[in-house]
Amino acid sequence: MGREIGSTEYTRSQRTRYRRELRRNLDIFEIFLDTAEFVDEGTVGVELEMNLARTDTMEPALVSDLVLEDLDDEDYVHEIGRFNLEVNLPVSRPQGSGLADLERELSEKVARADDAARARDARVIPVGHLPTITEELFAGDAWRAPGARYEALETTVLEARGEEIYLSIEGEGKGKGLDVTFDSIAPESACTSMQLHLQVPPEQFAAAWNAAQAIAGPQVALAANSPYLLGRRLWHETRIPTFVQSLDTRPPEYAAQGVRPRVWFGERWITSMFDLFEENVRLFPALIPESREMAEEPLLTEGSSPRLHELMLHNGTVWRWNRPIYDPGTDVPHLRLENRLLPAGPTPADMAANAAFFYGILHSLVHERRPLWSRMSFEQAAEAFQQCARWGLEARVRWPRVGRVRVADLLIEQLIPQAMEGLRGLGADEAVAERYGDILTGRARTGRNGARWQIDTVTSLELRGADRSEALAEMTRLYRAAVDTEEPVHAWPVPARQRD
């Protein structure tokens, strides 16, 4: 969710002072990275965003305030949409049964939120885009959750852009894409994700980030779960272009000049974590220029680590798909890599398998004698990311020593086995590696990730006579029922295309 703030409007002098402090923070951080001792334990963490849908119609349920009040648990928090929830899972480790424990924790957290939602005539839907969202939802401000941070974010994005937000996303056929404008950043609330955190020592951060960028394409293809938005069938992982365009502060002329978007893949391999923070300060103006004094935050932690309020706040408004995180902690600071490109869902088993793939493949790639990113261009990694978000497991990518290959075959023959070996290298139990390796391989072999299941189910329902809105509502109802089985998505049945 990000930290709350105290204001939604800022003066020119406040912005000037914030810029000065931001650069001072950056200088302090550069020195601190070279001299400080950081926690080096390799822990992992998960944040899961979910949707709330009305039990009767499966339309968005604007009841997050009530559900959070009923839950009364600090692990559950607001997200930007009033039909969103976020849950933060305890920090854990991938050794032993750690990822199996993560699956159980995910199951318990989703079930507890769903129980609270049921009491408000709603259900929790862990999915990248709630399929029943319509344009009417985003008229006015009812969609937005309370909080000055969200109001300030919307105000500054629209002021910087100077015009309405425009979504333009290719669809399933000619004339069937999305071309629509909004006078708010509301479409951002349609994007619900599972974010993975990995604690990384400073000397290893560049290798970990480069590895995460290199495998971003296959990672998103394997997990794609967002094919429908506003009634249209679009990309297999439509969250990717939706998030980019919903928070795009650039008018079209700036985009044409090559100004970078704030939701950003990046443009080069790095040699230090500092490269990313320096780019953020150098390339992006402040969106929320709240100073440390305005936030009434102390300069240092109890352990004398600098809090770097301005730098951390600014970093939170540049949405890299793999984002660097500095946490001053209480006694000893630490650094994290935040992987943001995965959608929520479908089941706890699927989400734990996605986490197993990410943590395992990163461990393997970071320790390779000849790094993967030294054998491929950054442009090649960016192209694979776009192709895999567009086509999911059906995408074809260029890969070192392989050439152009169907990404599902690349995953089956090379990347999933490599990830499971990496998981074993991290100390995971053999049974854990086998379980998640089987789930991931089953998904790649059948070609059925969450996106493929949604597309096939809606197609079947439409062939049986349903119109698009009816098919999306029924598919969402079937999706929630399948989540209740806790079976991985590649094992979910698809309705027959003709009635018996």
Side-chain angles (χ1 to χ4, degrees):
M1 180 186 72
R3 66 173 70 187
E4 189 53 273
I5 60 172
S7 178
T8 60
E9 296 182 0
Y10 303 91
T11 66
R12 287 190 292 271
S13 62
Q14 286 172 336
R15 290 181 177 278
T16 300
R17 287 196 298 273
Y18 182 87
R19 182 188 295 275
R20 188 182 305 120
E21 285 303 306
L22 186 56
R23 293 190 175 279
R24 181 169 171 266
N25 277 199
L26 188 65
D27 292 339
I28 292 171
F29 186 56
E30 182 176 23
I31 297 169
F32 192 68
L33 270 178
D34 292 336
T35 59
E37 290 188 9
F38 289 86
V39 175
D40 182 18
E41 295 180 349
T43 56
V44 299
V46 174
E47 299 175 32
L48 176 63
E49 299 165 354
M50 300 170 283
N51 295 280
L52 293 165
R54 291 173 52 184
T55 304
D56 53 354
T57 64
M58 289 289 113
E59 295 171 340
L62 305 181
V63 295
S64 63
D65 308 47
L66 300 174
V67 172
L68 287 170
E69 182 179 328
D70 294 345
L71 284 166
D72 190 24
D73 185 334
E74 63 182 10
D75 288 342
Y76 296 88
V77 295
H78 279 291
E79 248 302 322
I80 189 170
R82 203 178 288 269
F83 58 98
N84 304 146
L85 287 179
E86 180 182 304
V87 62
N88 298 287
L89 277 72
V91 172
S92 61
R93 289 173 173 77
Q95 289 83 4
S97 64
L99 288 171
D101 297 338
L102 171 64
E103 180 182 343
R104 284 191 290 273
E105 186 76 24
L106 281 164
S107 182
E108 291 169 5
K109 294 290 190 183
V110 172
R112 180 150 185 257
D114 191 51
D115 287 342
R118 283 175 185 252
R120 299 292 180 175
D121 297 319
R123 297 298 305 271
V124 164
I125 314 291
V127 66
H129 280 325
L130 184 61
T132 53
I133 291 172
T134 62
E135 292 179 43
E136 289 72 25
L137 173 68
F138 299 140
D141 294 329
W143 63 271
R144 191 174 61 217
R149 175 183 173 84
Y150 302 135
E151 185 179 346
L153 177 63
E154 180 169 87
T155 298
T156 53
V157 167
L158 293 175
E159 285 180 350
R161 183 174 173 84
E163 55 189 75
E164 294 177 314
I165 298 294
Y166 176 49
L167 292 190
S168 177
I169 306 173
E170 294 176 332
E172 60 191 304
K174 187 175 181 181
K176 295 186 178 180
L178 190 65
D179 287 284
V180 62
T181 58
F182 296 91
D183 61 359
S184 72
I185 61 169
E188 195 273 329
S189 67
C191 303
T192 41
S193 66
M194 181 178 78
Q195 298 169 19
L196 303 177
H197 292 248
L198 175 64
Q199 199 166 286
V200 183
E203 65 275 10
Q204 207 174 77
F205 190 92
W209 189 85
N210 289 342
Q213 294 287 101
I215 57 93
Q219 185 192 8
V220 78
L222 195 55
N225 194 28
S226 315
Y228 291 98
L229 181 64
L230 305 182
R232 283 84 152 182
R233 173 181 154 192
L234 303 169
W235 292 22
H236 282 224
E237 191 47 43
T238 308
R239 276 178 53 259
I240 302 302
T242 302
F243 199 51
V244 172
Q245 295 177 33
S246 297
L247 293 173
D248 196 348
T249 58
R250 308 168 302 168
E253 295 81 5
Y254 283 14
Q257 293 171 35
V259 174
R260 287 81 166 177
R262 294 194 83 101
V263 181
W264 198 32
F265 188 77
E267 60 190 16
R268 63 187 176 107
W269 307 120
I270 65 169
T271 58
S272 165
M273 183 191 212
F274 183 78
D275 293 351
L276 302 177
F277 281 94
E278 190 274 335
E279 278 185 347
N280 287 355
V281 173
R282 179 168 53 87
L283 297 177
F284 299 100
L287 279 186
I288 304 176
E290 181 182 80
S291 68
R292 178 177 59 82
E293 290 79 10
M294 293 170 66
E296 298 181 350
E297 182 173 85
L299 178 63
L300 302 174
T301 66
E302 293 177 12
S304 297
S305 299
R307 290 187 180 274
L308 303 177
H309 169 90
E310 288 83 3
L311 185 62
M312 292 167 65
L313 182 59
H314 183 66
N315 188 58
T317 63
V318 180
W319 293 275
R320 294 177 183 270
W321 295 111
N322 285 296
R323 183 156 70 181
I325 302 291
Y326 161 70
D327 190 330
T330 301
D331 297 316
V332 184
H334 66 266
L335 308 176
R336 299 196 307 272
L337 173 64
E338 182 184 60
N339 179 255
R340 303 172 52 83
L341 56 87
L342 293 177
T347 65
D350 288 306
M351 291 186 280
N354 292 339
F357 178 79
F358 179 71
Y359 295 131
I361 197 70
L362 245 64
H363 181 77
S364 176
L365 292 175
V366 164
H367 292 92
E368 277 188 325
R369 183 172 300 174
R370 187 182 176 196
L372 173 63
W373 55 94
S374 71
R375 294 180 273 130
M376 65 192 301
S377 68
F378 195 89
E379 292 73 19
Q380 190 175 334
E383 179 191 12
F385 179 60
Q386 291 293 313
Q387 289 298 310
C388 290
R390 178 74 176 89
W391 301 108
L393 288 167
E394 300 161 21
R396 299 185 70 85
V397 298
R398 289 180 296 145
W399 206 255
R401 297 180 181 171
V402 177
R404 188 163 289 277
V405 61
R406 194 171 73 105
V407 73
D409 294 333
L410 177 67
L411 285 159
I412 293 166
E413 296 167 10
Q414 180 176 329
L415 296 182
I416 294 173
Q418 185 177 358
M420 294 308 101
E421 279 304 306
L423 205 59
R424 295 182 183 96
L426 280 168
D429 290 345
E430 180 61 31
V432 171
E434 287 186 7
R435 171 170 170 73
Y436 296 124
D438 287 347
I439 289 174
L440 295 166
T441 301
R443 202 188 299 167
R445 284 195 189 283
T446 60
R448 184 172 291 168
N449 52 21
R452 185 74 264 167
W453 182 88
Q454 291 186 55
I455 291 167
D456 290 347
T457 298
V458 167
T459 300
S460 293
L461 293 169
E462 289 180 333
L463 287 173
R464 293 170 63 170
D467 64 25
R468 176 57 58 88
S469 63
E470 292 170 339
L472 289 173
E474 180 61 16
M475 180 270 285
T476 306
R477 192 172 289 109
L478 293 171
Y479 183 103
R480 179 60 244 194
V483 170
D484 287 335
T485 71
E486 299 193 344
E487 287 292 316
V489 69
H490 73 272
W492 291 6
V494 172
R497 298 195 172 196
Q498 294 182 341
R499 295 186 185 276
D500 296 334

